[in-house]
Amino acid sequence: QDLRFADVGVDSREWYLQRLLPPEAMSIPRRLQHHDDGFDRAAISVPLLELEWELDDEWTEGGAASVSAAQLPGITFGLTYPHRRSGTVPLTQRTRSFFPVREGKRSLITFVDGRWGKRFPGWVIPDGRYVCGLSEWYEEHKLPVGAYVVLERTSNPAEVVIDFRPHRMKREWVRVARVERGQLLFQMQKQAIAADYDEEMIVAEADAAAIDELRRELYKRNPSVTELVQELAPQLMGLSTQGTVHAKTLYSAINLVRRTAPGPIFAAISGNPRFNAMGGGLFSMARA
């Protein structure tokens, strides 16, 4: 009954001092708080539904059924901006089986660094659909948004190996977001990267504090997903020599300032007459 302690173990056999828990284990970070925009799933093409399944967002509801990952020794997923900044991994249809999930209760686990073998604590937060405790690990390995993160099982259900796909450090052209006069703008810049990543999802930020401030402002204004798509899609198309933007890029960019599952974003761009579907998840501006 001592309120200084939190139940973090199976059958209430493990307890942890609440003051030692990280903030992300006590309350859901704002950048992970999902905005539930209703949308018509029938408006999304089959290729985009397949893309939605590939992204495996933890807030996707009613999508294509996922093949059970319970027997897989390991899985790989692309790291999104909200989880990169929050030091978390998502609890999705594929990742949930790697963690001891107790509905409505936190669980303490141990992460094992697949590079160096370092062990450190993590906390499973079912209500927020994430596992936290990875901020230092992400920073230590300088992982960009879009990096391929690997989860591997161990013989202990309370231990999970976390890894990434390293490569030799090199400078590469990536999308960089900045805030100017209250607007989110993008440009291409070179960044030093030492990990494999999804080219459609990678996005960096020029000023994290400015992005945070814009997110707080947009939280008050509460623009619709349709409005965000109309504002950001043309900008992102301008970065491409073909004048196109991939649906995954738009999903990654919008999640800089608003935690949104891919479904509403895909429906918004598919149903907007300003944009043409080019196939392969690509969209361009419609001709007048």
Side-chain angles (χ1 to χ4, degrees):
Q1 301 301 314
D2 192 327
L3 298 180
R4 292 175 299 171
F5 297 93
D7 171 15
V8 296
V10 178
D11 297 328
S12 299
R13 289 196 298 261
E14 293 178 285
W15 297 81
Y16 206 87
L17 272 172
Q18 293 219 37
R19 64 181 175 82
L20 298 181
L21 289 168
E24 297 80 13
M26 297 297 294
S27 60
I28 301 172
R30 174 66 59 83
R31 63 178 66 89
L32 289 179
Q33 293 176 14
H34 177 245
H35 292 254
D36 185 13
D37 283 52
F39 69 101
D40 182 7
R41 183 169 291 281
I44 305 177
S45 66
V46 171
L48 287 180
L49 288 174
E50 293 174 345
L51 195 61
E52 180 188 49
W53 176 86
E54 176 190 325
L55 287 167
D56 194 33
D57 189 288
E58 69 269 28
W59 291 105
T60 292
E61 305 286 358
S66 173
V67 176
S68 173
Q71 303 305 317
L72 296 177
I75 60 168
T76 300
F77 64 91
L79 181 61
T80 62
Y81 176 87
H83 288 289
R84 174 61 179 85
R85 282 292 310 279
S86 302
T88 54
V89 296
L91 283 176
T92 71
Q93 295 187 71
R94 296 174 202 157
T95 64
R96 284 179 71 89
S97 68
F98 284 75
F99 301 99
V101 178
R102 302 187 303 155
E103 294 303 331
K105 294 184 177 181
R106 307 179 193 92
S107 297
L108 174 63
I109 65 160
T110 298
F111 279 116
V112 181
D113 185 342
R115 294 291 97 197
W116 303 332
K118 177 182 175 181
R119 301 163 68 86
F120 55 96
W123 288 266
V124 183
I125 313 296
D127 290 347
R129 304 189 187 184
Y130 62 85
V131 183
C132 62
L134 290 162
S135 293
E136 291 185 10
W137 187 79
Y138 287 150
E139 288 298 322
E140 198 170 31
H141 294 294
K142 302 292 188 294
L143 295 188
V145 173
Y148 290 120
V149 176
V150 180
L151 297 177
E152 297 176 355
R153 299 183 194 281
T154 69
S155 57
N156 184 343
E159 291 188 1
V160 179
V161 174
I162 188 161
D163 206 349
F164 64 101
R165 302 177 184 173
H167 67 221
R168 183 176 58 84
M169 178 76 74
K170 56 183 177 179
R171 294 180 63 80
E172 303 184 37
W173 288 102
V174 301
R175 304 169 200 89
V176 176
R178 73 182 193 280
V179 177
E180 191 172 301
R181 294 189 296 276
Q183 285 189 305
L184 190 63
L185 304 176
F186 295 89
Q187 63 188 88
M188 299 297 292
Q189 290 183 2
K190 280 199 168 184
Q191 300 264 322
I193 299 175
D196 288 347
Y197 60 90
D198 185 330
E199 293 185 5
E200 307 294 355
M201 289 185 64
I202 190 168
V203 62
E205 55 188 355
D207 185 338
I211 296 288
D212 288 342
E213 180 59 32
L214 179 60
R215 184 187 308 106
R216 287 189 286 268
E217 177 61 28
L218 291 179
Y219 184 82
K220 298 175 186 175
R221 285 165 38 196
N222 194 29
S224 67
V225 168
T226 296
E227 290 174 307
L228 291 173
V229 166
Q230 289 188 153
E231 179 182 343
L232 300 186
Q235 277 197 62
L236 294 165
M237 291 172 185
L239 300 180
S240 163
T241 55
Q242 292 79 33
T244 59
V245 64
H246 197 278
K248 286 200 295 184
T249 305
L250 190 57
Y251 161 72
S252 190
I254 286 177
N255 272 274
L256 287 168
V257 292
R258 182 187 176 104
R259 181 67 190 93
T260 307
I265 297 170
F266 293 175
I269 195 169
S270 296
N272 193 318
R274 294 182 62 197
F275 308 117
N276 273 340
M278 308 296 290
L282 293 171
F283 287 84
S284 67
M285 297 297 296
R287 293 183 179 179

